[in-house]
Amino acid sequence: NFYRSLKNTNAKRFRFMVNIAFTVLVVLYTATMASGYGTFGDVCEGNILLNYHPNDILSTLGRLATGFSILFGFPLVACGARESIIGVASSLGNNALGSEKNHSLLVAGILAFVTVISCTVQDVSLVVGLTGAALGSFIVYICPPLIFAKAVTLVKGPGSPESKRAQLNLVLIPFGLLIALLGCISVLK
């Protein structure tokens, strides 16, 4: 969606825009983290705004700005989540999830899931930690062997020697699950 929405779309221009966006984000996040840690040290809360007094006008404005950021950024995140869910479902053989008749149901399901989490979790660092532990392990240890094995099987055929060798990479999946589990346990302690 974002690639197609660029004017004069091409891979080089898209890569340039992505690099600029990530560079700006890295600088902003690093400055925010350094400021928070520099101000509060080891007693810094998961949500930096919780460290400030509730009557502090600047922290109140920060909370308001955070609320607006979440409110107006949510459609972008939800769109990406919806597209990813549809992509995963279709790659697993469920093309019906991406149909127009299921659009509202899928969006309502995503919204309900996010709302339940946001209403029940008090500490944002818990969500960030669990997400980082689980998704980090998935991205590093679980997803690559799955993609590689599937790609080799599609190109070389299911019974080929290359496909059988590629299947050996799937041994990383239990390791990735173990790392994710240990990361989640570490966050919960």
Side-chain angles (χ1 to χ4, degrees):
N1 284 339
F2 302 113
Y3 178 80
R4 290 187 299 264
S5 67
L6 282 175
K7 292 181 182 174
N8 303 322
T9 301
N10 63 48
K12 185 177 179 182
R13 181 178 156 96
F14 181 71
R15 187 178 331 110
F16 178 73
M17 297 302 293
V18 168
N19 288 339
I20 288 175
F22 274 100
T23 301
V24 169
L25 287 174
V26 166
V27 169
L28 285 173
Y29 283 134
T30 303
T32 302
M33 288 185 292
S35 299
Y37 189 77
T39 304
F40 300 107
D42 290 336
V43 294
C44 189
E45 295 285 336
N47 181 347
I48 193 72
L49 294 173
L50 295 177
N51 289 304
Y52 292 99
H53 192 273
N55 294 334
D56 183 1
I57 190 69
L58 289 177
S59 69
T60 302
L61 290 174
R63 288 182 189 99
L64 186 64
T66 301
F68 277 114
S69 173
I70 292 169
L71 179 67
F72 294 111
F74 181 77
L76 294 174
V77 174
C79 179
R82 186 192 72 226
E83 293 296 322
S84 296
I85 291 168
I86 290 170
V88 168
S90 66
S91 69
L92 295 174
N94 184 359
N95 294 329
L97 191 59
S99 70
E100 191 63 35
K101 70 176 187 167
N102 291 330
H103 175 79
S104 297
L105 185 62
L106 180 58
V107 171
I110 293 170
L111 183 58
F113 178 71
V114 170
T115 302
V116 167
I117 289 175
S118 65
C119 289
T120 57
V121 175
Q122 298 297 316
D123 184 9
V124 72
S125 65
L126 176 69
V127 174
V128 171
L130 289 174
T131 304
L135 292 182
S137 180
F138 177 74
I139 290 170
V140 173
Y141 296 112
I142 298 171
C143 195
L146 288 171
I147 292 172
F148 180 69
K150 181 72 171 179
V152 170
T153 301
L154 287 174
V155 171
K156 299 292 184 175
S160 69
E162 294 90 351
S163 176
K164 290 178 183 175
R165 251 181 304 172
Q167 300 299 319
L168 294 175
N169 289 297
L170 298 177
V171 77
L172 287 173
I173 294 173
F175 178 71
L177 292 171
L178 176 66
I179 295 296
L181 179 66
L182 292 175
C184 290
I185 289 171
S186 174
V187 167
L188 292 172
K189 284 188 174 183

